[in-house]
Each structure stands twice: as C-alpha cells, then as structure tokens.
Amino acid sequence: MSAPAEHPGSMPGTDAPAAVLAAPVLAAAGLVKVYPPASRAGQPSIALAGVSLDLAEGACLGVVGESGCGKSTLARLLVGLERPTAGTVLLQGQPVTNFRRPELARRLQLVSQDPFSSLNPRLTVESALTEVLLVHRRVPGRKEADQRVAELLDMVSLGPQFASRLPHEMSGGQAQRVAIARALAAEPQILILDEPTSALDVSVRAGIVNLLTRLRSELALSYLFISHDMAVIRQLSDQIGVMYAGRFVERGPWQSVMSAPLHPYTRALLTAVPEPHPDGSLLGSADDLAHDAPDTGGVQVAASARTGCPYFPRCPIRIDRCLTDDPPLEVVAGAHDAACYRAGVAVESGGGVPAESGGSPGERV
Amino acid sequence: MDSTLMTDRNVRSASPVLAIRDLSVGLKTRTGVTELVRNVSLDIRPGERVGLVGESGSGKSLTMLAVMGLLASPVTVTGGSVTLGETELVGAPDRKLRALRGSEIAMVYQDPMTSLDPLQRIGEQIAEGLRAHGTSRSEAGERTLAALAEVQLPDPHRLARAYPHELSGGMRQRVMIAAALAGNPRLLLADEPTTALDVTIQRQILSLVARIQRARNLAVLWVTHDLGVAAQFVQRLAVMYAGRIVEVGPTAAVFSAPQHPYTAALLAAVPSTTGERSALGQIPGSPPEPGSFPAGCSFASRCRQARPGCTQAEPALEEREGGVAAACFVPPAEWRP
C-alpha cells in the first residue's frame, strides 16, 4: 500500500490527492458519455457527466456507487471498449486512442463480474492462458508457455490440475481466479476490476479480495476497483471515489471517506450498509422512516434539462441554492474532495426533510 | 389488526405459526435418492422474524420451496413434516396448498419481474389474488389501494393503473410486498427479496417490512445469503451448510459467539465498513456436492477445528447456552485460534 507521503511535491489545488500524483499511469479528464435516446420520443441519457481521475502507479482507486451511477460506463471508456462523447483518457501520459488494441491490452486489462461470460466455454484454462501469452508475445514459444501457465495458476492459488479444466468444470470463484490469471498473462500494469466479487458467495469473495490485495503488492499493479459494496471497496482501496448520477460526488483517502464522509450521499450509502453485527443500527429506527431518502426510483441520471445538484431530490440537508446551482467537486479538507455546498453538515436528527416530498425529483419543497 | 408488540418471552411461549420437523428434500433418480436438504427443523412463532442463512447450494432456497409445496419433480420432500398451525403441508393436495398461499402464507421473491405479469396493471394483479380467495370485486379494489398505501407507494390510485415496467426495482418490490400482504396472511416467506436492490433501497424495504411485520404480528421466514441483512433484520437465525442446519439461535448470540466453526468462518469472511482493515478470513476448499456428502461432519474437511472423530460420525444439532444449538463435536472453548 503506497503511503500518502510518497510524493511530497504534490501540488495543492489539483484534484489529485498526494498519493495519486507525479506520474499517473492512468488519467481521465472530463469524461462525458451520452447515449442516444432509446426511442424517438425519448431523451438522450447521460451516463457520465464529466469524470476526471488519476491513478498513481501501484495505487488502488475504489469507485463505488449504485446501479445506474455510471461506474461501469467509466470502466468501458477506460479500457477503450467505448469512446467517450467528450473528454480524454491518458495512459502513461498519452491519449489512449494513440495505442493500437494489442498495445493497450499489454498495459490495461479488464476483469468483469461474470468470469463465465469472459472465458471461452470451449477453451481449457491452459489454452485460454496460452493464447494470451502467444498473442502478446509474453513467452518465446509453446514450451515456455506451459511453464508460464503453471506459474500463472500458482499466482492465483489454483493447482496445476486446473490447466485441463473447461470453464463449466469450475465453480464461480475458481473461474474468477482463471479470469484474473488470464488478465495477468498479458502482464499489464493496470487492472480495471468491474465488480469482480459481486456474483460470489461470502467465503469465495473473501478469497478473491485477499488474492487481489496480494497480487497488487507482489506485482506492483495499479487497480481501478469498481463495486457497489462499500465494505469491499474499503478493503482494497487507497483512494475512494463515490459516484452519483454520472460523476464523482466525493473522493479522498479511504480512511477519510469511510470515517468522515462529506457528501450526504456517501453518508446515506454507508448508513444503508447492513453491518454484519446485530447492533440494531439499520432497524433501530425502523419505526420512523423519516431518515430515509424517498424512493425516487434509484439513481436517476440527470436529465439535460435539470439544473442544480443531481442529489437534490433525495438530499436531507439541501438548501435553496442546491436547486439552482450544481456544486463542483472541490477540496474540502486535505486531499478530501466533495461536490456539495453543505459538505460535512450533519443531518438534523428527527428532522426528516425529504421523507414527505417523496418521488418528485427536481420539484421544489 | 393486532398492533401489540410482543415481548421476546411472549414470542417464545406462543405456539409456532410454522413448524418444520426433520424436513428432508431429495432428488429422485433411477438409481436412488440424492439428499439435498437433511433433517431441517425450525419453528417460527407469531411476531417473529427468522432468517435462513447460507451460501449457494446450502439448501436454504429448497427448504423454502419445500415449505411452500412448490418443489417440482424429481425433487421432492423425502421425509419430515411442515405444519402451518394445525395443518400439515407435506403431502397436502395442490388445491389446499393453493388456497393457503395468498391467504395464510404469502411469498416474496428476489426478482419481482418474474412474478409480476408485464401486461397487466399493478392494481388488477393484486386484486386478482384477493378475488381468487373469495373477496368481492369492490372490496378487492379497496384492499388493493390500502395495500399499496401501506407499503408507502405514492399515489396508490395512479400506481394501481401502472404497468410493472413503469416502476423502479424498489417500487416493484414494494408492489410485491403489497400483493403478498393484501390477503392478510399469518406467515411471510421471503427468498432474497432485497438481493437485487441497491443498498439504500434495500434499507427502505427492510425497514418497511419490519414495521408492517410488527404492526400485524406477522411470522416471517427470510432467506438470505447476506449476513449483514440477517444481523440487522432477523431476531433468530439458522445457518445452513450442505443441506443441514449447523447452527440456530438468537441473532445476537450467534453473531457475538458463534458455536459452529462454519458460522465463525463465515463471519470472519465478511468485510465491514468499520474497524481494523485486515485480511478477510478464508475457508479452504469448497462445499461438498449434493450426493457426495462425506461421512461424518460435512464441514470437517474444511474446518480449522476438525478432530479425528469428526469424519466418523455426524454431530447432532444440540442445545448450547444462550438458546443456541450447534452441530459440532468441538466446543468453542477448545477451538484453536
């Protein structure tokens, strides 16, 4: 884990906190992705509304958010599966569009949620790994490839007997290990991990999280780790970015974001996590739902017509200004940024502003 | 509606709404029976929220389906009984079970879209369920609106005329709960109903169900793989492994001092949003496949606490202190760190 003091020359005023500076291996600036309307009467949907980030060498940036917040779109833009509507992705300082596909794949690999959809069902583990090794010329020939396959399996804690397995002969956790081994075969510097543990059982998930933690330090990898799960994000990340409606609403060192969240959405997320110890924190106040944000149908990505803060309809600490102005992501404390005019303001206990105004996004109270 | 809050002691002493006794479920093939669920016993009393927790393949969902009488051949109940009040459900004729479902027993599933008819308005679907149990058209209409209001959906009149696709996932799950509870059942069976939802929405649904459950003194059986949900939502929980209940007891007791090594290992594998950040606990190996359950304790080969005797005989589920029962030969006091 890289210490925050690693780059003492960090410049104040930039978005990037100290650890994520000097030479980011991966950077994005002002990423916007707009999808055309699904029907003629429909509105275009804004999946990303301006996302900038820096990923330092050897660091892990955790990106957390709920469904529809744009986190997977971000992953697809970063690995070049889709092109942004606006903004740039820089890989080692160069626009990602300057790289040809294989060059890109030797630097950047994606691990997604479902290993079975990313593995060819007819290829044995050995063939799948060998293919990558040969395509990217990571080994001189077939003989060395066998040796390397064994090393890769060992790296992800799978025995050599897995070499001859087909995807359907493995459990979800084993297949995810193979998917990780396959990504590592290309010897990338960066892994984009898009919900790699979300489909797994509790005990299997723990194994993958531990494996990813170990691999990062052993291979000096940089991670962009995407998840909806605050606890998993916390386990792996140096920096945490919280996404809402296609943008970061909060970003900072993991300790600060988890223990002193600034944005009301981050706080709502953290409060909602059912903690695995029965202290009654979730249902202690079950009788008054006043603290709960109204169900506005999950994260509704801001329609182009809307002004003001996208979190306004659900926000318990909103003020009039939030309806008209859209708060930018700004440094609030140290390297800890938030996009909120009321960053850090506590919710008044008992004063449930939004509960009664349920389900009317953008409507003034 | 009975809105009295029962104390824990009252809950204990009341006779169970649902009593599961030695329930076994198997897959019948030409060569024999493959055991999937083995000797599950569990009581759910009025006003009690009970959790059934386990990983994939542990048998928790099959247990639930068996209780509802929804197993499909060749998977069948191979032994034991399930009684709802005085009524035996195992082997009861379909017609009787159908009459009970929707009136006495209500069910909620993970994916509301598979239970809701996409071509029928929300209100009609709820009313149809009520009408099937003999409610008049006008009364069904009124009760539908009341049910939608009870789950705190805004503007029930407008919503009753909406189609499922017009609603968000959270709203659809509210509709499912409204439909399930409209018939005023005694027992709610829920199979991972919040698993597909975002955490903020999950929280709302759990709070909502807890509130209605208390107001109606409902008995609830909640199947989940999420130990966090179990910790926050149920008063008592049963942990399943390889088709058996390996530990059962009051939620607080089980979480604070697990008596079965599998429960302890599972808890150690769950990341938290607070506390020290250290490596998560791992369980070596994988659960045994149904049909090849090993001799002795099914968890022995993966268990840090296993002793030679553990592979000889299968430990019975036995009472320990604090109302907890566990199926393990090795008491926690003798556990290796």
Side-chain angles (χ1 to χ4, degrees):
Chain A
M1 245 143 272
S2 59
E6 207 175 317
H7 305 287
S10 61
M11 284 155 48
T14 59
D15 276 357
V20 188
L21 219 85
V25 283
L26 184 68
L31 283 185
V32 173
K33 181 69 185 177
V34 180
Y35 291 104
S39 66
R40 220 177 300 171
Q43 294 240 344
S45 88
I46 305 166
L48 284 185
V51 166
S52 302
L53 61 88
D54 289 306
L55 180 63
E57 191 169 348
C60 176
L61 172 63
V63 175
V64 68
E66 295 184 289
S67 38
C69 74
K71 57 192 192 300
S72 289
T73 303
L74 176 64
R76 296 171 65 77
L77 295 186
L78 290 176
V79 298
L81 282 173
E82 286 185 51
R83 297 208 156 218
T85 310
T88 50
V89 177
L90 296 179
L91 182 61
Q92 287 155 334
Q94 292 190 52
V96 82
T97 43
N98 288 4
F99 293 88
R100 285 182 302 142
R101 266 236 144 274
E103 292 174 9
L104 194 61
R106 278 194 284 276
R107 291 171 173 81
L108 191 71
Q109 283 281 325
L110 174 72
V111 177
S112 55
Q113 178 171 339
D114 180 9
F116 295 106
S117 64
S118 62
L119 296 171
N120 183 335
R122 296 185 193 192
L123 284 189
T124 61
V125 170
E126 183 173 28
S127 316
L129 296 179
T130 305
E131 186 180 60
V132 179
L133 292 169
L134 294 177
V135 164
H136 293 298
R137 297 195 197 88
R138 292 307 195 189
V139 289
R142 293 220 160 248
K143 208 172 97 228
E144 294 84 353
D146 290 352
Q147 170 71 23
R148 184 68 184 142
V149 166
E151 284 171 20
L152 285 166
L153 286 177
D154 186 51
M155 237 183 244
V156 296
S157 306
L158 288 176
Q161 74 274 19
F162 279 89
S164 57
R165 300 261 176 106
L166 288 166
H168 77 265
E169 298 171 311
M170 295 184 285
S171 69
Q174 291 161 349
Q176 192 59 285
R177 283 171 193 267
V178 170
I180 293 168
R182 187 165 166 274
L184 295 177
E187 295 176 37
Q189 291 106 327
I190 305 161
L191 289 187
I192 309 290
L193 301 147
D194 188 6
E195 302 263 14
T197 64
S198 300
L200 304 175
D201 268 321
V202 181
S203 64
V204 182
R205 180 181 66 190
I208 299 287
V209 168
N210 289 347
L211 172 70
L212 290 169
T213 308
R214 176 168 64 76
L215 288 174
R216 177 154 79 97
S217 64
E218 279 180 14
L219 304 174
L221 292 165
S222 310
Y223 288 170
L224 189 100
F225 187 91
I226 294 171
S227 178
H228 69 283
D229 186 328
M230 271 294 209
V232 170
I233 282 280
R234 176 185 188 267
Q235 195 66 24
L236 275 158
S237 310
D238 303 321
Q239 301 283 320
I240 293 175
V242 182
M243 281 186 79
Y244 186 82
R247 68 188 76 194
F248 282 120
V249 294
E250 176 155 6
R251 193 168 58 198
W254 71 270
Q255 300 94 328
S256 323
V257 173
M258 299 301 298
S259 61
L262 293 169
H263 197 282
Y265 176 62
T266 312
R267 277 186 255 150
L269 261 187
L270 276 169
T271 320
V273 175
E275 279 291 316
H277 25 80
D279 53 5
S281 61
L282 182 70
L283 292 171
S285 57
D287 285 321
D288 78 301
L289 289 168
H291 287 291
D292 289 342
D295 184 356
T296 55
V299 182
Q300 297 288 334
V301 171
S304 46
R306 184 196 278 167
T307 58
C309 174
Y311 193 59
F312 180 86
R314 298 173 75 183
C315 185
I317 53 167
R318 61 194 178 193
I319 51 175
D320 284 351
R321 189 187 176 189
C322 307
L323 183 57
T324 50
D325 300 350
D326 192 357
L329 187 66
E330 283 175 339
V331 176
V332 175
H336 194 167
D337 310 344
C340 179
Y341 295 122
R342 308 252 292 155
V345 175
V347 186
E348 281 173 51
S349 57
V353 185
E356 301 310 314
S357 64
S360 48
E363 199 177 273
R364 193 158 175 170
V365 225
Chain B
M1 220 173 291
D2 181 13
S3 64
T4 356
L5 257 177
M6 294 189 101
T7 65
D8 198 41
R9 205 159 46 98
N10 281 342
V11 168
R12 256 319 112 63
S13 59
S15 64
V17 174
L18 184 78
I20 306 172
R21 285 284 171 278
D22 292 318
L23 180 71
S24 292
V25 174
L27 172 74
K28 281 196 172 149
T29 62
R30 242 174 300 170
T31 50
V33 177
T34 303
E35 286 192 302
L36 303 171
V37 171
R38 303 178 288 162
N39 299 86
V40 163
S41 296
L42 196 63
D43 282 351
I44 301 146
R45 296 185 168 76
E48 198 182 23
R49 298 192 296 268
V50 178
L52 199 54
V53 177
E55 298 187 277
S56 346
S58 62
K60 57 189 191 306
S61 292
L62 275 180
T63 302
M64 183 73 104
L65 289 172
V67 168
M68 299 186 294
L70 290 177
L71 293 175
S73 174
V75 177
T76 56
V77 172
T78 53
S81 83
V82 178
T83 49
L84 179 77
E86 302 292 306
T87 316
E88 174 63 53
L89 300 184
V90 171
D94 266 355
R95 206 156 42 121
K96 189 168 180 185
L97 288 174
R98 263 204 303 276
L100 288 174
R101 286 184 221 125
S103 58
E104 300 279 297
I105 311 177
M107 298 166 285
V108 197
Y109 304 94
Q110 179 170 337
D111 182 5
M113 275 318 252
T114 58
S115 332
L116 289 170
D117 180 347
L119 298 177
Q120 206 184 10
R121 294 179 198 276
I122 297 290
E124 289 164 8
Q125 300 194 40
I126 299 176
E128 189 180 56
L130 291 168
R131 302 255 297 138
H133 294 284
T135 310
S136 74
R137 183 177 292 276
S138 61
E139 198 193 334
E142 276 169 35
R143 278 169 66 179
T144 296
L145 293 177
L148 290 171
E150 191 179 18
V151 296
Q152 300 183 323
L153 283 163
D155 200 350
H157 281 274
R158 188 175 58 88
L159 213 95
R161 298 188 49 77
Y163 289 96
H165 77 267
E166 297 175 68
L167 309 182
S168 69
M171 290 170 101
R172 273 183 222 135
Q173 204 52 284
R174 279 174 200 253
V175 167
M176 286 312 299
I177 292 163
L181 299 180
N184 205 12
R186 287 194 283 162
L187 174 69
L188 175 67
L189 303 171
D191 192 358
E192 307 256 15
T194 61
T195 300
L197 302 175
D198 281 322
V199 282
T200 53
I201 309 298
Q202 167 171 281
R203 181 194 148 95
Q204 295 169 18
I205 299 285
L206 292 177
S207 303
L208 176 76
V209 174
R211 210 168 42 86
I212 298 174
Q213 178 266 337
R214 272 183 273 193
R216 295 192 180 190
N217 206 33
L218 255 180
V220 174
L221 180 62
W222 199 269
V223 169
T224 181
H225 73 286
D226 189 327
L227 289 161
V229 168
Q232 303 295 336
F233 185 70
V234 302
Q235 294 139 334
R236 220 150 54 80
L237 89 160
V239 181
M240 287 193 77
Y241 183 80
R244 289 188 77 197
I245 291 179
V246 294
E247 179 158 5
V248 57
T251 307
V254 171
F255 273 81
S256 62
Q259 304 278 318
H260 195 285
Y262 175 65
T263 314
L266 259 191
L267 288 174
V270 185
S272 167
T273 57
T274 56
E276 190 95 337
R277 191 166 83 162
S278 53
L280 300 173
Q282 278 179 244
I283 307 177
S286 42
E289 294 285 325
S292 56
F293 291 138
C297 171
S298 300
F299 188 59
S301 64
R302 311 175 69 192
C303 182
R304 283 176 64 81
Q305 312 305 338
R307 310 289 150 89
C310 295
T311 51
Q312 309 299 314
E314 188 160 46
L317 193 62
E318 277 172 358
E319 284 285 333
R320 305 279 178 86
E321 63 219 62
V324 177
C328 179
F329 293 124
V330 190
E334 294 171 25
W335 285 2
R336 297 182 259 262

